[in-house]
């Protein structure tokens, strides 16, 4: 992160830097993947490969440990589908969160 101008470990300061980089940089700040929880090895792979040569693509481009990434993508899809279907049945966000607690036990 230091290579991209993030000197502080304070999350709010780091988000401010990211915001400024998004607003004023000529290129997209690919380090955003760190804030989104993408594996660092895949972020570095993306940057070093200029977005090419990935093993697979899902919620991010995968450059290492394809099997684990596919499991994570599946979990994200199941979670998203649960929330969408529950919302479509007429539940609000607080009810959905309560239902998810019961569903995940």
């Amino acid at each position: 992160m230091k290579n991209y101008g993030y000197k502080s470990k304070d999350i709010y300061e780091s988000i401010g830097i990211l915001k400024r980089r998004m607003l004023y940089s000529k290129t997209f700040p690919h380090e955003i993947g760190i804030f989104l929880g993408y594996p660092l090895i895949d972020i570095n792979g993306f940057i070093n490969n200029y977005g090419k040569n990935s093993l697979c693509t899902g919620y991010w481009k995968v450059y290492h440990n394809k099997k684990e990434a596919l499991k994570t993508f599946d979990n994200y899809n199941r979670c998203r589908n649960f929330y969408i279907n529950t919302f479509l049945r007429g539940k609000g966000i607080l009810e959905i969160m309560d239902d998810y607690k019961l569903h995940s036990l």
Side-chain angles (χ1 to χ4, degrees):
M1 294 292 283
K2 287 181 183 178
N3 294 342
Y4 296 99
Y6 298 86
K7 294 176 174 68
S8 173
K9 292 186 180 184
D10 179 79
I11 189 66
Y12 298 104
E13 189 174 326
S14 295
I15 290 172
I17 293 168
L18 177 65
K19 181 179 176 181
R20 286 189 295 281
R21 286 180 48 80
M22 291 180 77
L23 288 171
Y24 303 114
S25 180
K26 291 182 181 184
T27 60
F28 190 80
H30 297 299
E31 72 274 10
I32 195 171
I34 294 169
F35 294 88
L36 297 173
Y38 299 170
L40 189 56
I41 196 162
D42 290 331
I43 296 166
N44 287 329
F46 182 88
I47 291 168
N48 294 333
N49 287 279
Y50 304 99
K52 298 179 181 172
N53 306 316
S54 63
L55 300 174
C56 69
T57 301
Y59 287 87
W60 65 85
K61 288 193 175 187
V62 177
Y63 291 86
H64 180 74
N65 204 346
K66 178 181 175 180
K67 183 178 176 182
E68 190 64 30
L70 290 174
K71 281 175 38 181
T72 300
F73 296 162
D74 183 56
N75 285 337
Y76 287 1
N77 288 334
R78 286 188 293 116
C79 183
R80 184 189 68 225
N81 289 337
F82 173 83
Y83 276 91
I84 289 170
N85 290 329
T86 306
F87 176 78
L88 292 174
R89 287 195 303 271
K91 297 222 176 177
I93 188 66
L94 296 176
E95 293 174 297
I96 293 171
M97 289 172 19
D98 285 340
D99 284 358
Y100 189 77
K101 287 178 194 172
L102 295 173
H103 178 75
S104 63
L105 294 176

